[in-house]
Amino acid sequence: MNVFDTKWECSICKKSGTLSHLIVMNKHLSSQVRQKIYHPENERKQIIRMFDKLIHKYGSDIEPLKVKVERLIQYYQEKKNTDE
């Protein structure tokens, strides 16, 4: 999806449109077919919360893994920004 004009195109079904078209289309789909819209920032926040719970439960041994994952996410965010 283009973040500036909300135009999108599905690489599987080849349908396309704008965000408003996607929302309307999603409302008309049956609940079995409907997919949850993926929000990368929400997913990142959930991952960080999970790490924090693990650190609280198992101690600071988990913290280096959290730092590595955060660095990896940051790397791909920066790479995506330079590719655009």
Side-chain angles (χ1 to χ4, degrees):
M1 179 179 291
N2 185 314
V3 296
F4 299 110
D5 60 13
T6 72
K7 290 183 180 177
W8 60 272
E9 182 177 336
C10 178
S11 60
I12 297 169
C13 71
K14 304 300 181 198
K15 290 184 180 181
S16 62
T18 63
L19 178 59
S20 59
H21 179 252
L22 182 63
I23 292 169
V24 169
M25 192 173 79
N26 192 44
K27 285 182 183 178
H28 294 297
L29 293 174
S30 71
S31 61
Q32 293 173 334
V33 176
R34 189 177 305 153
Q35 298 270 333
K36 180 181 174 185
I37 296 175
Y38 184 74
H39 297 281
E41 184 59 28
N42 290 346
E43 293 293 325
R44 185 189 69 77
K45 288 177 184 177
Q46 288 179 2
I47 290 168
I48 299 306
R49 278 196 297 269
M50 288 176 183
F51 272 118
D52 290 339
K53 286 181 183 178
L54 287 170
I55 291 168
H56 180 74
K57 187 173 182 177
Y58 297 107
S60 62
D61 290 343
I62 305 294
E63 197 149 1
L65 180 59
K66 176 185 175 185
V67 170
K68 285 183 173 275
V69 169
E70 288 177 324
R71 284 186 190 153
L72 184 63
I73 291 169
Q74 183 178 7
Y75 169 80
Y76 281 110
Q77 283 176 332
E78 290 171 2
K79 184 173 179 2
K80 180 183 168 212
N81 291 337
T82 58
D83 289 346
E84 291 178 350

Short mmCIF file of all heavy atoms in Angstrom, two decimals, residues 5-7 9 13-14 18 21 26 28-29 35 41 44 48 52 61-64 67 69-70 72 77 83-84:
data_model
loop_
_atom_site.label_atom_id
_atom_site.label_comp_id
_atom_site.label_asym_id
_atom_site.label_seq_id
_atom_site.Cartn_x
_atom_site.Cartn_y
_atom_site.Cartn_z
N ASP A 5 -0.98 7.94 -1.01
CA ASP A 5 -2.30 8.03 -1.63
C ASP A 5 -3.19 6.83 -1.31
O ASP A 5 -4.30 6.73 -1.80
CB ASP A 5 -2.19 8.20 -3.14
CG ASP A 5 -1.46 7.05 -3.82
OD1 ASP A 5 -1.23 6.00 -3.18
OD2 ASP A 5 -1.11 7.20 -5.00
N THR A 6 -2.73 5.91 -0.48
CA THR A 6 -3.42 4.69 -0.01
C THR A 6 -3.81 3.74 -1.13
O THR A 6 -4.64 2.87 -0.94
CB THR A 6 -4.67 5.00 0.86
OG1 THR A 6 -5.72 5.50 0.04
CG2 THR A 6 -4.34 5.95 1.99
N LYS A 7 -3.18 3.88 -2.30
CA LYS A 7 -3.45 2.93 -3.37
C LYS A 7 -2.75 1.61 -3.06
O LYS A 7 -1.65 1.59 -2.54
CB LYS A 7 -2.99 3.47 -4.72
CG LYS A 7 -3.82 4.63 -5.20
CD LYS A 7 -3.39 5.10 -6.57
CE LYS A 7 -4.24 6.26 -7.02
NZ LYS A 7 -3.80 6.80 -8.32
N GLU A 9 -2.44 -2.82 -4.33
CA GLU A 9 -2.69 -3.87 -5.31
C GLU A 9 -2.30 -5.20 -4.69
O GLU A 9 -1.20 -5.34 -4.16
CB GLU A 9 -1.90 -3.64 -6.59
CG GLU A 9 -2.18 -4.68 -7.65
CD GLU A 9 -1.46 -4.41 -8.95
OE1 GLU A 9 -1.11 -3.25 -9.21
OE2 GLU A 9 -1.24 -5.38 -9.69
N CYS A 13 -4.55 -11.84 -5.84
CA CYS A 13 -5.80 -11.80 -6.60
C CYS A 13 -5.81 -10.71 -7.67
O CYS A 13 -6.75 -10.64 -8.46
CB CYS A 13 -6.99 -11.64 -5.67
SG CYS A 13 -7.10 -9.99 -4.90
N LYS A 14 -4.81 -9.86 -7.66
CA LYS A 14 -4.65 -8.78 -8.65
C LYS A 14 -5.70 -7.68 -8.54
O LYS A 14 -5.84 -6.87 -9.42
CB LYS A 14 -4.62 -9.32 -10.08
CG LYS A 14 -3.56 -10.36 -10.32
CD LYS A 14 -2.19 -9.81 -10.06
CE LYS A 14 -1.14 -10.88 -10.33
NZ LYS A 14 0.11 -10.60 -9.72
N THR A 18 -8.12 1.88 -3.40
CA THR A 18 -7.63 2.75 -2.33
C THR A 18 -7.99 2.14 -0.99
O THR A 18 -8.70 1.13 -0.92
CB THR A 18 -8.25 4.16 -2.44
OG1 THR A 18 -9.66 4.03 -2.25
CG2 THR A 18 -7.93 4.82 -3.77
N HIS A 21 -11.68 1.71 -0.52
CA HIS A 21 -12.18 0.57 -1.28
C HIS A 21 -11.86 -0.73 -0.54
O HIS A 21 -12.69 -1.64 -0.48
CB HIS A 21 -11.55 0.56 -2.68
CG HIS A 21 -11.96 -0.60 -3.52
ND1 HIS A 21 -11.12 -1.63 -3.80
CD2 HIS A 21 -13.16 -0.90 -4.09
CE1 HIS A 21 -11.77 -2.52 -4.54
NE2 HIS A 21 -13.00 -2.10 -4.74
N ASN A 26 -13.59 -5.35 2.51
CA ASN A 26 -13.40 -6.19 3.68
C ASN A 26 -14.71 -6.38 4.45
O ASN A 26 -14.98 -7.46 4.97
CB ASN A 26 -12.32 -5.60 4.58
CG ASN A 26 -11.88 -6.57 5.65
OD1 ASN A 26 -11.67 -7.74 5.40
ND2 ASN A 26 -11.73 -6.07 6.86
N HIS A 28 -17.64 -6.57 3.21
CA HIS A 28 -18.54 -7.45 2.47
C HIS A 28 -18.07 -8.91 2.45
O HIS A 28 -18.82 -9.79 2.05
CB HIS A 28 -18.73 -6.94 1.04
CG HIS A 28 -19.43 -5.63 0.99
ND1 HIS A 28 -20.72 -5.44 1.43
CD2 HIS A 28 -19.02 -4.42 0.57
CE1 HIS A 28 -21.07 -4.20 1.28
NE2 HIS A 28 -20.06 -3.54 0.76
N LEU A 29 -16.84 -9.15 2.87
CA LEU A 29 -16.33 -10.52 2.90
C LEU A 29 -16.92 -11.27 4.09
O LEU A 29 -17.19 -10.69 5.13
CB LEU A 29 -14.81 -10.53 3.01
CG LEU A 29 -14.03 -9.97 1.82
CD1 LEU A 29 -12.55 -9.92 2.16
CD2 LEU A 29 -14.25 -10.81 0.58
N GLN A 35 -9.53 -11.09 6.52
CA GLN A 35 -8.21 -11.15 7.13
C GLN A 35 -8.00 -9.91 8.01
O GLN A 35 -8.50 -8.84 7.70
CB GLN A 35 -7.13 -11.15 6.05
CG GLN A 35 -7.19 -12.35 5.13
CD GLN A 35 -6.35 -13.48 5.65
OE1 GLN A 35 -5.39 -13.28 6.36
NE2 GLN A 35 -6.72 -14.69 5.30
N GLU A 41 3.79 -1.60 13.06
CA GLU A 41 4.18 -0.89 14.29
C GLU A 41 3.52 -1.53 15.52
O GLU A 41 4.16 -1.69 16.56
CB GLU A 41 3.81 0.59 14.20
CG GLU A 41 4.26 1.42 15.38
CD GLU A 41 5.77 1.40 15.62
OE1 GLU A 41 6.54 1.21 14.66
OE2 GLU A 41 6.18 1.60 16.78
N ARG A 44 5.43 -4.69 16.26
CA ARG A 44 6.70 -4.40 16.91
C ARG A 44 6.48 -4.13 18.40
O ARG A 44 7.21 -4.64 19.26
CB ARG A 44 7.38 -3.20 16.25
CG ARG A 44 8.78 -2.92 16.79
CD ARG A 44 9.34 -1.61 16.28
NE ARG A 44 8.64 -0.47 16.83
CZ ARG A 44 8.82 0.01 18.07
NH1 ARG A 44 9.67 -0.55 18.88
NH2 ARG A 44 8.14 1.06 18.49
N ILE A 48 8.02 -6.24 21.63
CA ILE A 48 8.79 -5.61 22.73
C ILE A 48 8.14 -5.91 24.07
O ILE A 48 8.83 -6.22 25.05
CB ILE A 48 8.92 -4.09 22.48
CG1 ILE A 48 9.68 -3.81 21.17
CG2 ILE A 48 9.59 -3.39 23.67
CD1 ILE A 48 11.04 -4.46 21.05
N ASP A 52 9.74 -7.85 27.28
CA ASP A 52 9.75 -7.28 28.63
C ASP A 52 9.18 -8.27 29.65
O ASP A 52 9.70 -8.41 30.75
CB ASP A 52 8.99 -5.96 28.66
CG ASP A 52 9.73 -4.85 27.92
OD1 ASP A 52 10.97 -4.97 27.73
OD2 ASP A 52 9.08 -3.86 27.52
N ASP A 61 18.98 -12.32 31.21
CA ASP A 61 19.61 -13.13 30.16
C ASP A 61 18.91 -12.96 28.81
O ASP A 61 19.50 -13.16 27.76
CB ASP A 61 19.59 -14.61 30.53
CG ASP A 61 20.53 -14.93 31.69
OD1 ASP A 61 21.41 -14.09 31.98
OD2 ASP A 61 20.38 -15.99 32.30
N ILE A 62 17.64 -12.57 28.85
CA ILE A 62 16.84 -12.40 27.63
C ILE A 62 17.12 -11.04 26.99
O ILE A 62 16.93 -10.86 25.79
CB ILE A 62 15.33 -12.52 27.97
CG1 ILE A 62 15.02 -13.81 28.68
CG2 ILE A 62 14.47 -12.35 26.73
CD1 ILE A 62 15.22 -15.05 27.86
N GLU A 63 17.61 -10.10 27.76
CA GLU A 63 17.77 -8.72 27.26
C GLU A 63 18.66 -8.61 26.02
O GLU A 63 18.32 -7.86 25.10
CB GLU A 63 18.27 -7.80 28.36
CG GLU A 63 18.07 -6.35 28.01
CD GLU A 63 17.83 -5.49 29.23
OE1 GLU A 63 17.85 -6.01 30.36
OE2 GLU A 63 17.64 -4.30 29.02
N PRO A 64 19.79 -9.33 25.92
CA PRO A 64 20.59 -9.23 24.68
C PRO A 64 19.81 -9.64 23.43
O PRO A 64 19.99 -9.05 22.37
CB PRO A 64 21.76 -10.18 24.93
CG PRO A 64 21.88 -10.27 26.41
CD PRO A 64 20.48 -10.15 26.92
N VAL A 67 17.60 -6.68 22.47
CA VAL A 67 18.41 -5.63 21.83
C VAL A 67 18.72 -6.01 20.39
O VAL A 67 18.61 -5.18 19.47
CB VAL A 67 19.71 -5.38 22.63
CG1 VAL A 67 20.67 -4.48 21.88
CG2 VAL A 67 19.37 -4.79 24.00
N VAL A 69 16.98 -7.98 18.37
CA VAL A 69 15.77 -7.88 17.56
C VAL A 69 15.44 -6.42 17.27
O VAL A 69 15.08 -6.07 16.15
CB VAL A 69 14.59 -8.60 18.27
CG1 VAL A 69 13.27 -8.28 17.59
CG2 VAL A 69 14.82 -10.09 18.31
N GLU A 70 15.58 -5.55 18.27
CA GLU A 70 15.33 -4.12 18.04
C GLU A 70 16.29 -3.55 17.00
O GLU A 70 15.88 -2.78 16.13
CB GLU A 70 15.44 -3.34 19.35
CG GLU A 70 14.28 -3.58 20.29
CD GLU A 70 14.44 -2.86 21.61
OE1 GLU A 70 15.59 -2.74 22.12
OE2 GLU A 70 13.42 -2.41 22.16
N LEU A 72 17.73 -5.27 14.59
CA LEU A 72 17.34 -5.85 13.31
C LEU A 72 16.15 -5.10 12.71
O LEU A 72 16.14 -4.76 11.52
CB LEU A 72 16.99 -7.33 13.50
CG LEU A 72 16.64 -8.12 12.25
CD1 LEU A 72 17.84 -8.18 11.31
CD2 LEU A 72 16.21 -9.52 12.64
N GLN A 77 14.04 -1.00 8.86
CA GLN A 77 13.30 0.25 8.69
C GLN A 77 14.17 1.26 7.94
O GLN A 77 13.70 1.93 7.02
CB GLN A 77 12.90 0.83 10.05
CG GLN A 77 11.73 0.14 10.68
CD GLN A 77 11.40 0.67 12.06
OE1 GLN A 77 12.29 1.17 12.77
NE2 GLN A 77 10.16 0.55 12.45
N ASP A 83 15.61 2.71 0.34
CA ASP A 83 15.20 2.10 -0.93
C ASP A 83 14.06 2.87 -1.60
O ASP A 83 13.83 2.73 -2.78
CB ASP A 83 14.76 0.65 -0.72
CG ASP A 83 15.93 -0.27 -0.39
OD1 ASP A 83 17.11 0.16 -0.59
OD2 ASP A 83 15.70 -1.39 0.05
N GLU A 84 13.32 3.67 -0.83
CA GLU A 84 12.16 4.39 -1.39
C GLU A 84 12.55 5.62 -2.14
O GLU A 84 13.41 6.23 -2.22
CB GLU A 84 11.18 4.77 -0.28
CG GLU A 84 10.50 3.56 0.29
CD GLU A 84 9.56 3.89 1.43
OE1 GLU A 84 9.56 5.03 1.93
OE2 GLU A 84 8.81 3.01 1.84
#
